[in-house]
Amino acid sequence: SIEFESPFDESGRIREKVFPRLSRVSMARKIKGLPVAIFAEGSVVLSLASFFYEYLGLEPVILGLKTYTSGIEELVKEFLQTTGLNPLILTNYDLYSVQQALAKHEPELILGSSLEKGFQPATPFINISYPVWDKVILTERPFLGYQGILTLIEELLNAILKLP
C-alpha cells in the first residue's frame, strides 16, 4: 500500500492517479521497451527521453533536436552516458531526414509536431511541438510540472491504447 504525506503532496497525488493505470498488466506490457521517437526543442526532447526511459521503460530510438546549442550537446552526452542507449540523434535536420529515420527505425510512438505526424499517420502520436495544424488547442495542457506529468501520461496512455 502506498502512503502519502499530506493532501497537498503533489507527488503523492500524481502517484495515486498514475500508478494504478500504469500497473495494469496489459498496459505495462505495451509500454515496456516501446520504441519512441521524440521531436521538439532540445531540452524538451532530452527531458522527455529521460523520463520515458527511467520511469516508464520506453526506449527512445530517435531524438530530433530542433535546437542544438553547446549546452544541449552536453545534455545529450550526459543522457547517452547515463542511459547507455544509442538512439539516432537528429540535429539541424530536414523533413527528408525525418522521413528516412522514421522508415528505418519504425518507432511505435511518435512525439512531435504536425510535420512529423504526417510521415507515419497510423503510428500513435502525441503533439508536443509546433507547428500544429491538425488539432485545435483551446485550453492549457501543460507538459511541465506536476500537472504536466498527468497531461503527458494521459496523452501517452490514450495513444498506446491504439496499439494492437
Side-chain angles (χ1 to χ4, degrees):
S1 124
I2 300 173
E3 293 186 30
F4 304 108
E5 293 178 13
S6 78
F8 303 107
D9 176 26
E10 286 294 317
S11 62
R13 190 173 65 84
I14 300 298
R15 283 192 297 275
E16 186 176 83
K17 286 186 174 196
V18 172
F19 282 167
R21 285 154 185 91
L22 288 177
S23 64
R24 290 189 183 130
V25 173
S26 62
M27 192 57 70
R29 208 176 302 132
K30 285 183 178 184
I31 291 176
K32 184 73 173 164
L34 185 76
V36 60
I38 308 170
F39 300 90
E41 300 302 314
S43 59
V44 172
V45 169
L46 294 168
S47 296
L48 287 176
S50 294
F51 175 74
F52 283 161
Y53 180 72
E54 184 176 340
Y55 292 101
L56 302 178
L58 281 75
E59 183 179 340
V61 293
I62 303 170
L63 301 179
L65 302 132
K66 293 182 179 183
T67 53
Y68 194 72
T69 61
S70 59
I72 298 298
E73 184 178 7
E74 290 303 313
L75 292 174
V76 168
K77 288 177 186 175
E78 183 180 321
F79 171 78
L80 297 175
Q81 265 187 325
T82 303
T83 63
L85 294 173
N86 189 26
L88 173 63
I89 310 268
L90 297 175
T91 61
N92 302 318
Y93 55 87
D94 57 21
L95 294 180
Y96 180 74
S97 302
V98 171
Q99 181 181 26
Q100 296 298 101
L102 291 172
K104 180 179 179 182
H105 294 277
E106 299 180 338
E108 294 181 41
L109 175 66
I110 300 170
L111 290 87
S113 72
S114 294
L115 295 170
E116 292 85 18
K117 180 180 183 180
F119 291 113
Q120 291 188 330
T123 302
F125 177 83
I126 300 172
N127 190 289
I128 61 162
S129 182
Y130 293 103
V132 178
W133 60 67
D134 58 343
K135 184 177 183 177
V136 175
I137 301 170
L138 299 175
T139 60
E140 288 187 37
R141 302 235 343 132
F143 287 115
L144 297 173
Y146 289 113
Q147 185 59 43
I149 290 171
L150 288 177
T151 301
L152 183 61
I153 300 278
E154 180 181 285
E155 291 279 338
L156 174 69
L157 294 176
N158 285 319
I160 289 174
L161 286 174
K162 298 174 186 173
L163 292 173

